[in-house]
Amino acid sequence: MRIDRGLGQRVWAYVCSAPGTYLWLAVLFVTTVALHHMSPHFEQEFLRQRSTNIHELSNNPGRVLLQSAMWIDGGDWFPYEFLYVAFQYTVFHAQAERWLGTLRWLMVCVAAHVLATLISEGALLRAVHDGVVKHSAVNTLDIGVSYALAGVVGVLAYRIVAPWRYLYLAGVFFVYGEPLADSPTFTDLGHFVSVLIGLACYPLVLGRGPAWDPRETVSALRG
């Protein structure tokens, strides 16, 4: 019992050290549960009205940019989709928030989510005007939190000391660049742009302490 209480206290302390991350995750849990109880047809129409597609951005840009970040298209896969998102939030968002502070972390998230959405949807609009894709693409379902995540993944490169930073970046560019080079979609473009936006947030990391050296962690674990 003493061990369990100590573990629970450590987990709670960790959650409290990244309040923005876990508050956002709590909202996603509630909305994912709600989606799980919707019929497939109603769910798609419901999400489309909260999607950052061209049609909704043209009519309600502020509303859909906010609301699209409150849902994940995974109601049919609950709780597995949510658990996967929770893992990503703990590994990346929580680490970034603890390092940068809640305000700076949120600035990275907002910049990546908003700018990558506008750039990718702008590219899609140009493709529609040029006849490259069908006009129905203006109503494509586009919700989720992946652009903000990609931005945070990008900015976390500055958290790691060189030369490990470059290995991390190589992995990041492979994960987000390979789909863009292979059979690109406008979402793939948005993800890659989000990583670049995260890297462009370098001014926000100044004064946040020395970079993390994995060798020191390994040495500490070895005792």
Side-chain angles (χ1 to χ4, degrees), residues 29-146:
F29 176 77
V30 172
T31 57
T32 304
V33 170
L35 284 182
H36 183 62
H37 290 86
M38 296 179 185
S39 67
H41 175 73
F42 181 81
E43 175 186 330
Q44 291 302 302
E45 185 59 31
F46 180 86
L47 291 178
R48 190 168 285 109
Q49 294 176 8
R50 289 153 180 79
S51 171
T52 49
N53 55 43
I54 295 172
H55 175 74
E56 294 296 337
L57 279 174
S58 299
N59 293 291
N60 302 287
R63 177 180 65 81
V64 295
L65 282 169
L66 175 62
Q67 291 186 350
S68 65
M70 299 295 112
W71 302 84
I72 53 178
D73 188 13
D76 292 340
W77 296 97
F78 181 81
Y80 307 108
E81 180 70 17
F82 175 78
L83 291 175
Y84 178 61
V85 171
F87 173 78
Q88 293 176 316
Y89 269 54
T90 298
V91 172
F92 297 106
H93 278 298
Q95 296 298 322
E97 185 179 1
R98 295 178 72 197
W99 171 47
L100 295 174
T102 299
L103 179 59
R104 296 188 187 201
W105 160 78
L106 186 59
M107 290 172 67
V108 174
C109 292
V110 171
H113 176 66
V114 172
L115 295 179
T117 295
L118 295 179
I119 291 171
S120 60
E121 292 299 325
L124 178 58
L125 179 60
R126 178 61 183 271
V128 170
H129 284 168
D130 292 345
V132 177
V133 298
K134 296 180 180 179
H135 186 268
S136 59
V138 301
N139 290 308
T140 301
L141 182 62
D142 184 16
I143 64 163
V145 296
S146 58

